[in-house]
Amino acid sequence: MAFELREGIFAIDEMRNVSIRIGKVIEEAEEWAEEMGPTPKPGIIELRKWDMKLLERYEPFYAPVQDFCNLCTMGPCDLSQNKKGACGIDLKTAKARLVTIACCIGAASHGGHARHLLDHLIEELGEDYPIDLGGNVNVEAPIIRTVVGIRPRTLGDLKEAMEWAEKELMRVLHATHIGNEESYLDYESKAMHISMVDHVLMEIADIAQIVAYNMPKAEPNVPLTDTGFGIVDKNKPVIVVVGHNVLYSKPILDYLEEMGRLDDFEIAGLCCAVHDMTRVSGGRAKIFGPISYQLRVIRSGIPDVMISDEQCIRADLLQACKAMGIPLIATSDAAARGLPDASDWPVEKIVNALVTGELPGVFLPVPEKVGQVAPLVAEAIFKKHGGNRKYRFFANDEELWNEINKCTQCMNCVFTCPHNLRIDQGMAHAQKTKDLSKLAKLEEQCIACGKCEQACPKNIKIINVIMASNFDRLYNKKGKMRVGRGPIQDTEIRNVGQPIVMGQIPGVIAAVGCANYPDEAKSLREILEEFVKRRYIVVTSGCHAITLGMITDEEGQTLYEKTPGDFDAGGLANVGSCVANSHIAGAAIKIANIFAMRPLRGNYAEIADYVLNRVGAVGFSWGPYSPKAAAIATGFNRLGVPVVVGPHGAKYRRAYLGKYFKKEKWWVYDIKTRSKVPIEPAPDALLVAVETKEEAIVQLARLCIRPNDTSLGRQIKLTHYLELSQKYLGKLPDDWHLFVRSEADLPLKMKDELLHILESEYGWKIDWDKKKILEGPIRRYDAGFNPTIVEEVYEKYAGEKPPQ
Amino acid sequence: MAFELREGIFAIDEMRNVSIRIGKVIEEAEEWAEEMGPTPKPGIIELRKWDMKLLERYEPFYAPVQDFCNLCTMGPCDLSQNKKGACGIDLKTAKARLVTIACCIGAASHGGHARHLLDHLIEELGEDYPIDLGGNVNVEAPIIRTVVGIRPRTLGDLKEAMEWAEKELMRVLHATHIGNEESYLDYESKAMHISMVDHVLMEIADIAQIVAYNMPKAEPNVPLTDTGFGIVDKNKPVIVVVGHNVLYSKPILDYLEEMGRLDDFEIAGLCCAVHDMTRVSGGRAKIFGPISYQLRVIRSGIPDVMISDEQCIRADLLQACKAMGIPLIATSDAAARGLPDASDWPVEKIVNALVTGELPGVFLPVPEKVGQVAPLVAEAIFKKHGGNRKYRFFANDEELWNEINKCTQCMNCVFTCPHNLRIDQGMAHAQKTKDLSKLAKLEEQCIACGKCEQACPKNIKIINVIMASNFDRLYNKKGKMRVGRGPIQDTEIRNVGQPIVMGQIPGVIAAVGCANYPDEAKSLREILEEFVKRRYIVVTSGCHAITLGMITDEEGQTLYEKTPGDFDAGGLANVGSCVANSHIAGAAIKIANIFAMRPLRGNYAEIADYVLNRVGAVGFSWGPYSPKAAAIATGFNRLGVPVVVGPHGAKYRRAYLGKYFKKEKWWVYDIKTRSKVPIEPAPDALLVAVETKEEAIVQLARLCIRPNDTSLGRQIKLTHYLELSQKYLGKLPDDWHLFVRSEADLPLKMKDELLHILESEYGWKIDWDKKKILEGPIRRYDAGFNPTIVEEVYEKYAGEKPPQ
Amino acid sequence: MAVKKEDKYPVARRYQIADVQVSREATAVKPQVVVNLIKKAKHPVLITGGQLLKDEKLVEIAVKFYEKGIPIIATGGSSKPLIEKGVNPQSVVFTLHQVTQFLLDEEWKGFDGKGNYDLVLFMGFLPYYLSRMLSALKHFSKITTVALEEFYQPHAKFSFTNLTANKDMYYSMLEEIVNNL
Amino acid sequence: MAVKKEDKYPVARRYQIADVQVSREATAVKPQVVVNLIKKAKHPVLITGGQLLKDEKLVEIAVKFYEKGIPIIATGGSSKPLIEKGVNPQSVVFTLHQVTQFLLDEEWKGFDGKGNYDLVLFMGFLPYYLSRMLSALKHFSKITTVALEEFYQPHAKFSFTNLTANKDMYYSMLEEIVNNL
């Protein structure tokens, strides 16, 4: 009996009902030599000890949005003042449970997305399709390696990680059922667990699509792509995609390319769907804007057909499109939108139903068919109006003014607007002076959620009024976004690893998330420009990346056009859509691995401990809004990366905020000196909401400080922190002295001044001859300082139990 | 090269990194000949068409508990009057989404439970451990066969179903993320999907534990076990278990048995954990009561040690135990309760910490260790008090009266009590007359949730007052519950299949779920006794089964003692704990399969269609409270089984209620006559909440009617329906005539009377000579009537497309 | 019109402290207001609940409503005592849950075929069960709902104030209504 | 003491219609009540927010508070204009989020080391951000919170009524407080 050895299932003659499956045939040279760490495929309590370390220091803070619970039939229960409900749960624990549920939903979103992509791509390309992220990426799935303990080489390998993640979701969600956890700390631990899973899921999704769709592979110099209303050629049929999963809309590109008709259409879109369309099309797809542009785009009447997939899409999309006569093709099984399933219909029948308006939309979960139907529909609709789309929010000025004149300044809109925008004042001003400028100004801040229209007793089309008031600016907006590059190269990590860990690169600022900005969108650029100029590494993704591509300066240029795309000091790297956030976490992990040679495999706590103490990376989400964003942030937190959120982030109800004054909580084991040493409170928060851009800037600089900074690194970090505090807060920060370990940490230019302050205000002893600090710091700087807060890590490197 | 063929992984010489796994070696005789149906391992839209059929007829009804949403940071949003929120979702869709989330959490609970059990048992017994449910069960996993399309023969096979379920959970939960479904119907379809998954998960869990722990295997004559406070021998150390997962507490029995010390301890418990303990111990474990007995038991001071696992446990268990000096061992990773993980501690250290009170509890997720620690702790604690447990709610009468006298009748308690119990009146009456009887009466209704104490401005220990007022009755309560039998035998199905489908057995009443009863618990018995006497088949499980075991009649007997345990007319079959509910759904499926020979494999829609039209089974949950109960009910609904819930069930927010007057919605395809025929509205609801026991009884009888009833069957069903309506509602029901197809359907004794009413009140034409109905019915009875509402089923059996 | 603090009436206190919604709460009304509502209604109906089985006085009141020409939908078994006292309810077998579902349907013709009801009075229900039904009607219909209950019902359009501390007042308010019809 | 309807003051309207909780809503107060609260307080503090960067009048008022001896915790960048006018805030770098976390800790000694604050005044915040912080303080601390905001803040213990339609009244109420300290 002989058989050839390939992977697959084999039937053997004469042996009924026996199948021989040949497992992975692995080249010896490629064998993964790394030893398995302590926690591969961790269950929901395996990393509880690590979480409790974090939670002990970064105490959960709860700001209840509702102080009651009505999830079970014994309720509703009043939980105010931390009272207990019928099941015995108190308010804090109830909030922690809700946070856990939200993180589960967030992780499930990326997971549903990843699973669908993966199954689809494996069906198309086979399990053996190799994971090749280009020559510069050898550590190609740092999160999966660290968490799951495997090294995926093929799409099929990703399934193993996927199945583990699915299992963990069920177990964590289980814990949120009535009558499980009693302590909010345990719910936080579970929220962290599922959020770590979320990072694995994002990595699966993005790796799968990069390799299968040949998206840019860790390329810093990816092309720029057009953004804004102004870049759409309205003389072509316009196909608009919205959502997150490129698998449904990519076939449109494929089909048009095959037909040689790409140039006959405009393909544009919103949110991550188009983000990733630009990655597969090399910049051919165009970006209307972030998630908050949905009603702007639909009510502008520009789309000739709309393609929706999943997540963050308006739940009234069909209604909104229908009102404008735009046919809708819903594609994802997560959002069938109540539409008839047209999977089995012939293409002509679908096109006909949509073009005649017989149906306002169809549910078409067959990507290839979407590829054919969408252009046909767009073309037919385009033919009807001949490029002369009449509707531009209002048919004419009279209609606009009729709406404005209806307003009685009852302020119902103001009291329901997420930003309490003073629509009443804009309307009143316009009524009195015929000047639309106050209304136009609102457009810069409006997220076009439409709640104002729901509240208006006069049924004023407020969104349209606002958009029409800023019509020319909005319609002519043009910008450039650098297409998502995907992972960070190993070589880049090698270059920046040391300066980051030592502190000479003052920090990595990762601006990610949604578009619920508290202020005009341009504030995002203002914040990040500060860090680009100061040669921090700035990374971005998702709607933040899109927004950055839409804000131009006086020269008409976006930040992308002025900044290289490297993961390097002074660079601005756009990694891609939401799921590409995994590359940011991955970069932090790769610093520990590639630069510091820490083993990854199943070794989460050590890596997170390394990141917390050494990698000065801070997440920043200026406009977070969704459970996905909550999961992403919480996943970063577990990895030891602090996250700063805009003020709306306070509505997530829970933050992780340390207290500088609890001195007993700020310590590490120092492996070098074999001792437990007090440390400066750095970073002193894992999740904190700021109110203004000024505050955001200072907090970001502040939270980049790490115990492991060298003197030079600390000096650089403090220089920026102090300068920014002076610039934006008007003086030195209150806590700068806590971060001074020796005179070498002090910013050079201010050294004398600061030494004087340390002496006079803080009572430190200074040797003025040598300009040395004699007494005062929490601890002295030690070049060999080797901090950890994990007993097992201490033991591993010190060879003995940690000191008490 | 030769190798022996067994299952397992084999290394082949000289072939590095190649493993050959020999798949399942299946005896030819055992090959599952059944062809695969259309929907094995269905995804979230595969059965959408079936759902839409149900939802078209049984329109979702929403009773919002809250009319706003605050899940994302654009909120909170006012959704009242079906307004849309910032994401565009309206109130109905938001409620449907919440229902979907609740069903996900419910399914995840059973799933987390099942996964943990399965992994543990496979580790212990191996993947090949056979699934043997006894000689009378050949169709051993009807739900898994129908839904997943596999026939599991070993524990390892169950993993395949488990992994599919985990995948589906992620996909459904994904759809609940902001910005997915637009239509409440699609959320309902997804809620149904994950609830069907829930039934698969319950089946996995119960089959695994039955075969691994040798629980009763489909035995009607299982032993009776003791229930109530009165049966606990307080002169022994008392170990109390609470929760749902027997895997954590069974080792206690094993250890004591091994030590030969079983008789030296009392092992009692609450809720499903003890339910299943009685199944593994053959009745040695004793049952304190259902879930609502937690505070009763703890505050009675009887437990010497408490073992908690997961689900439905009070979230303040540790606090409650600590207040009574009862050490707590938390065992499940779903509920670590903020306690230190003692997994690695030596047994002595754990025991010592608990007995000395150094720690109020430990987290000990190692079942074997729990088996050793629990008895040692109980014994040591027992030694301390020597059997003389002082605390009995109050140390003495004076303390009780001091509490009572504090009451000012502010009624805060009344306005927070889930049942609005008139605690104020009980207190006032006692204050005035020194008579505790009004307070004692409350004990019968009180679910001991403790919210009253949270609300009381005087901090009165209201629960203790109520319990102490009924002390003697409560403390001496004794009853008998028939131990959970597990599945229904194939032979039983063969016996009752035809009479159920034809209607001669008037119905199957499945009383399942939690203990949030709207009335005194004895009402449950009153309701079910009516059906037992009328020779319906009554099945029960979970807390309903426990409650039934606690209600004795004047002769001191429970319903179990008066009724056989068969799945047969007049029987009362207790299938077991919550997860054993799968056997009830399984029985309905088996009727379709074993009696009607309908193929199961991957053939869900046909089976559900069969059940809906033919199997007169109705679920009944008098005191449902949890998301698990919501998922169980919704899973039954998708399978075509209506569910009646008590009034608290209205708080689930969503019901499925048909409208008898929408005549166009009541139709089937008749395969026999090749036509689409109007039918009677039977059943006319899939989920309905009733207010009183009287109403429950009538609705249950009413909802047993099915289109497929034979004349004799319909006659019998109508006889009961009409009699019960007259008995409890005072007259004939309003809609009885809708169910009359011919004179042969009429109850014999009332035939003339009813014919007269049909003529005089409803204008029917009667041939009085022949006593025949000439005109009037919605349709005529036809003996070969073969109804379906599924086009594919029609086509399959009719061999042609269905008529329009 | 609405019950004011300075009146003799107790304050309107929700039957369940945490049963909160954004939308308007019921106007707490005096009996005369209810009388006026009934008189103005084109197609009023009284729905009775299962608590009539425990409270004879409510049965008595319902009978008087009936005698004054207000049709009754009897749920929860409340039909039995009513029928014994000569009432012929429009329906006895449908639960309040079902009746509410019917009420929500603008196409429903009522049990009497005269079209949907425009004013629905509720009496004798478990407060938490009624509350949910009133919520459904508040959000998804235009029907005027009136709770004639011992507990104030926040989700009704109009409700008696909270009368739990004074059952006599509750009864007398009900009497006042039926006597003035 | 509380703002009554018959007063000249507008009604207290939640900044966000759906920001509802079971627990008590803020008492809407007149300036003199705030003056009395401050005078009675042992350790009061004013926390200023980022809206001072957009509203010079608020800066002016905060300076006056400071001059009357009320210490200031400046957040959101509000320190910059304050410092320019001679204020020396107790803290400038901590966000309101962090300061609230500190306030929740009974062991905190305050930025001045004199122990936790007993009366905290808030001025110049984004309403939704402040609302969450007030909710945390309401449920998990005993601190008396006073919102001196244009929008009525339901989760404070005391709050100005809603003054969005009349900014002059808002400023004059603030003036009235500082003038009477």
Side-chain angles (χ1 to χ4, degrees), chain B residues 473-487:
Chain B
R473 258 202 99 241
L474 177 64
Y475 242 56
N476 294 314
K477 250 183 205 170
K478 280 184 189 183
K480 292 278 186 193
M481 184 193 82
R482 188 172 289 113
V483 166
R485 55 169 284 169

Side-chain angles (χ1 to χ4, degrees), chain A residues 21-268:
Chain A
R21 199 172 74 82
I22 304 298
K24 296 169 206 161
V25 182
I26 303 159
E27 297 291 319
E28 195 176 5
E30 272 187 36
E31 182 71 80
W32 194 16
E34 193 170 326
E35 226 177 283
M36 186 63 86
T39 56
K41 296 192 182 176
I44 57 175
I45 50 167
E46 256 84 351
L47 292 162
R48 182 178 185 246
K49 197 174 160 192
W50 167 248
D51 298 333
M52 292 302 170
K53 295 250 176 216
L54 292 177
L55 295 166
E56 163 77 10
R57 192 195 268 181
Y58 304 102
E59 297 177 37
F61 166 99
Y62 298 101
V65 179
Q66 66 184 62
D67 59 359
F68 53 96
C69 176
N70 52 30
L71 289 175
C72 90
T73 80
M74 298 190 292
C77 294
D78 169 16
L79 305 179
S80 63
Q81 268 73 37
N82 216 23
K83 278 201 276 291
K84 297 189 291 186
C87 66
I89 205 166
D90 65 22
L91 183 57
K92 277 192 186 181
T93 313
K95 293 300 107 177
R97 184 172 66 148
L98 188 62
V99 167
T100 308
I101 292 172
C103 290
C104 282
I105 292 176
S109 296
H110 294 130
H113 178 169
R115 171 58 97 164
H116 208 156
L117 258 174
L118 193 60
D119 284 357
H120 180 87
L121 296 175
I122 286 177
E123 204 185 307
E124 213 167 80
L125 307 168
E127 293 222 340
D128 300 338
Y129 195 85
I131 291 174
D132 170 10
L133 293 170
N136 290 312
V137 179
N138 285 317
V139 182
E140 75 298 299
I143 303 175
I144 293 172
R145 291 179 179 213
T146 307
V147 177
V148 187
I150 62 169
R151 179 178 169 183
R153 290 159 200 277
T154 62
L155 289 181
D157 290 346
L158 293 175
K159 270 172 77 173
E160 190 178 342
M162 190 73 222
E163 281 165 14
W164 166 78
E166 285 163 345
K167 179 172 161 181
E168 294 312 302
L169 177 70
M170 190 164 284
R171 296 179 73 162
V172 174
L173 196 62
H174 169 199
T176 69
H177 189 275
I178 290 166
N180 280 318
E181 286 301 354
E182 176 156 1
S183 158
Y184 59 89
L185 293 173
D186 266 310
Y187 274 126
E188 292 300 343
S189 171
K190 287 173 167 69
M192 285 184 169
H193 185 67
I194 200 62
S195 300
M196 177 187 74
V197 171
D198 179 58
H199 282 225
V200 168
L201 291 164
M202 291 193 292
E203 190 170 76
I204 293 172
D206 212 48
I207 288 181
Q209 67 180 0
I210 290 173
V211 300
Y213 294 149
N214 201 25
M215 291 176 172
K217 295 177 174 178
E219 292 163 29
N221 297 313
V222 260
L224 293 167
T225 193
D226 292 324
T227 71
F229 272 74
I231 46 82
V232 172
D233 181 350
K234 298 172 191 72
N235 293 312
K236 292 179 183 176
V238 179
I239 300 170
V240 179
V241 301
V242 59
H244 281 76
N245 197 337
V246 74
L247 106 79
Y248 301 100
S249 40
K250 181 178 176 293
I252 301 171
L253 282 171
D254 294 345
Y255 177 79
L256 289 177
E257 196 152 23
E258 199 183 303
M259 296 286 122
R261 296 205 54 201
L262 254 181
D263 288 340
D264 300 341
F265 290 84
E266 279 289 78
I267 301 173

Side-chain angles (χ1 to χ4, degrees), chain B residues 354-580:
Chain B
L354 292 176
V355 174
T356 58
E358 187 194 313
L359 288 174
V362 293
F363 172 46
L364 187 58
V366 187
E368 298 67 33
K369 239 176 191 166
V370 174
Q372 295 174 52
V373 169
L376 290 171
V377 173
E379 200 158 35
I381 295 284
F382 183 81
K383 269 191 195 148
K384 278 192 181 178
H385 58 65
N388 183 21
R389 295 176 186 81
K390 281 176 205 151
Y391 201 80
R392 310 186 337 162
F393 300 115
F394 291 106
N396 51 48
D397 274 8
E398 202 189 328
E399 272 191 13
L400 166 64
W401 284 101
N402 281 346
E403 289 295 287
I404 291 175
N405 289 328
K406 282 190 208 163
C407 178
T408 63
Q409 282 80 47
C410 73
M411 293 181 72
N412 279 0
C413 51
V414 178
F415 286 80
T416 196
C417 172
H419 300 103
N420 304 108
L421 293 182
R422 293 304 296 262
I423 299 160
D424 63 317
Q425 293 177 350
M427 293 281 193
H429 184 72
Q431 286 170 353
K432 270 179 236 156
T433 65
K434 297 289 159 199
D435 169 18
L436 293 169
S437 65
K438 271 201 165 183
L439 283 165
K441 187 83 182 155
L442 297 175
E443 194 272 323
E444 308 287 341
Q445 277 179 273
C446 174
I447 56 168
C449 73
K451 275 167 72 179
C452 46
E453 297 183 353
Q454 298 288 313
C456 180
K458 300 284 179 185
N459 288 311
I460 302 173
K461 286 180 174 304
I462 299 172
I463 297 289
N464 293 35
V465 168
I466 290 173
M467 299 308 145
S469 297
N470 203 33
F471 186 79
D472 289 335
R473 258 202 99 241
L474 177 64
Y475 242 56
N476 294 314
K477 250 183 205 170
K478 280 184 189 183
K480 292 278 186 193
M481 184 193 82
R482 188 172 289 113
V483 166
R485 55 169 284 169
I488 309 305
Q489 300 177 355
D490 295 5
T491 42
E492 287 172 303
I493 296 292
R494 250 173 234 115
N495 291 335
V496 299
Q498 174 155 358
I500 288 174
V501 170
M502 300 306 179
Q504 294 100 314
I505 289 179
V508 181
I509 307 295
V512 309
C514 337
N516 192 17
Y517 307 121
D519 207 340
E520 295 181 27
K522 69 177 183 195
S523 55
L524 179 64
R525 176 177 177 154
E526 291 164 14
I527 295 165
L528 296 179
E529 200 155 12
E530 189 71 62
F531 291 97
V532 168
K533 282 188 188 156
R534 289 172 179 271
R535 301 191 59 73
Y536 285 65
I537 299 175
V538 179
V539 200
T540 187
S541 71
C543 279
H544 277 51
I546 293 177
T547 300
L548 274 184
M550 301 181 70
I551 307 159
T552 49
D553 59 14
E554 293 109 45
E555 300 157 36
Q557 288 198 305
T558 65
L559 199 53
Y560 291 110
E561 293 165 89
K562 301 192 141 182
T563 319
D566 306 83
F567 188 79
D568 201 354
L572 172 61
N574 174 20
V575 287
S577 59
C578 275
V579 287

Side-chain angles (χ1 to χ4, degrees), chain A residues 254-483:
Chain A
D254 294 345
Y255 177 79
L256 289 177
E257 196 152 23
E258 199 183 303
M259 296 286 122
R261 296 205 54 201
L262 254 181
D263 288 340
D264 300 341
F265 290 84
E266 279 289 78
I267 301 173
L270 297 146
C271 211
C272 284
V274 73
H275 216 309
D276 283 340
M277 284 286 271
T278 65
R279 291 165 86 190
V280 296
S281 73
R284 280 212 79 118
K286 293 172 178 177
I287 294 180
F288 265 122
I291 179 182
S292 51
Y293 267 55
Q294 283 178 90
L295 283 188
R296 282 173 171 86
V297 168
I298 295 167
R299 294 198 183 172
S300 76
I302 295 176
D304 293 314
V305 67
M306 196 89 187
I307 319 295
S308 71
D309 55 81
E310 60 203 24
Q311 302 164 32
C312 301
I313 302 165
R314 287 194 65 82
D316 60 352
L317 184 73
L318 179 65
Q319 294 170 54
C321 286
K322 197 175 170 182
M324 298 297 303
I326 302 168
L328 173 67
I329 302 173
T331 60
S332 166
D333 59 10
R337 320 199 86 85
L339 291 166
D341 189 337
S343 303
D344 297 334
W345 302 2
V347 166
E348 300 69 39
K349 181 178 170 187
I350 304 172
V351 172
N352 191 55
L354 292 176
V355 174
T356 59
E358 186 193 316
L359 289 175
V362 292
F363 172 46
L364 187 58
V366 188
E368 297 67 30
K369 238 174 192 169
V370 174
Q372 293 174 54
V373 169
L376 291 172
V377 173
E379 199 158 36
I381 294 284
F382 182 82
K383 267 189 196 148
K384 280 191 179 180
H385 59 64
N388 184 20
R389 295 176 186 81
K390 280 175 203 152
Y391 202 83
R392 308 183 342 161
F393 302 113
F394 292 105
N396 51 48
D397 273 8
E398 202 188 329
E399 271 191 17
L400 167 64
W401 283 100
N402 282 346
E403 289 294 284
I404 291 174
N405 289 329
K406 283 190 207 163
C407 177
T408 64
Q409 283 79 47
C410 73
M411 291 180 73
N412 279 1
C413 51
V414 178
F415 286 81
T416 197
C417 171
H419 299 103
N420 305 106
L421 293 181
R422 293 304 296 263
I423 300 159
D424 62 317
Q425 294 176 350
M427 293 282 191
H429 184 74
Q431 286 169 354
K432 268 179 239 157
T433 66
K434 298 288 157 201
D435 168 17
L436 292 170
S437 65
K438 271 201 166 187
L439 283 164
K441 187 83 180 158
L442 296 175
E443 195 271 322
E444 308 286 340
Q445 276 179 274
C446 175
I447 58 168
C449 74
K451 274 167 73 178
C452 46
E453 296 182 354
Q454 297 288 312
C456 180
K458 301 284 181 186
N459 288 314
I460 303 173
K461 287 182 174 301
I462 300 172
I463 298 290
N464 293 34
V465 169
I466 291 172
M467 299 309 145
S469 298
N470 204 33
F471 186 81
D472 288 334
R473 257 203 99 240
L474 177 64
Y475 243 57
N476 294 317
K477 250 182 205 172
K478 280 185 188 183
K480 292 277 185 193
M481 185 193 80
R482 187 172 289 114
V483 166

Side-chain angles (χ1 to χ4, degrees), chain B residues 280-338:
Chain B
V280 295
S281 73
R284 282 210 76 119
K286 294 173 177 175
I287 295 180
F288 265 122
I291 178 183
S292 50
Y293 267 54
Q294 284 179 89
L295 283 188
R296 282 174 172 86
V297 168
I298 295 166
R299 294 198 184 172
S300 76
I302 294 176
D304 293 315
V305 69
M306 197 89 190
I307 320 296
S308 72
D309 54 81
E310 59 202 25
Q311 300 164 35
C312 300
I313 302 167
R314 286 194 64 82
D316 60 351
L317 185 72
L318 179 65
Q319 293 171 55
C321 287
K322 197 174 169 184
M324 298 296 304
I326 302 169
L328 173 68
I329 302 173
T331 60
S332 165
D333 59 10
R337 317 198 87 82

Side-chain angles (χ1 to χ4, degrees), chain B residues 670-715:
Chain B
D670 176 18
I671 295 167
K672 184 196 171 202
T673 59
R674 301 282 199 271
S675 59
K676 193 170 174 178
V677 294
I679 55 159
E680 58 277 27
D684 80 336
L686 283 184
L687 195 100
V688 60
V690 295
E691 192 191 10
T692 60
K693 61 188 182 215
E694 292 80 5
E695 192 161 60
I697 290 170
V698 177
Q699 278 299 324
L700 287 169
R702 181 171 178 272
L703 290 170
C704 284
I705 300 173
R706 289 293 174 282
N708 194 58
D709 297 335
T710 60
S711 283
L712 178 58
R714 182 63 58 87
Q715 193 197 104

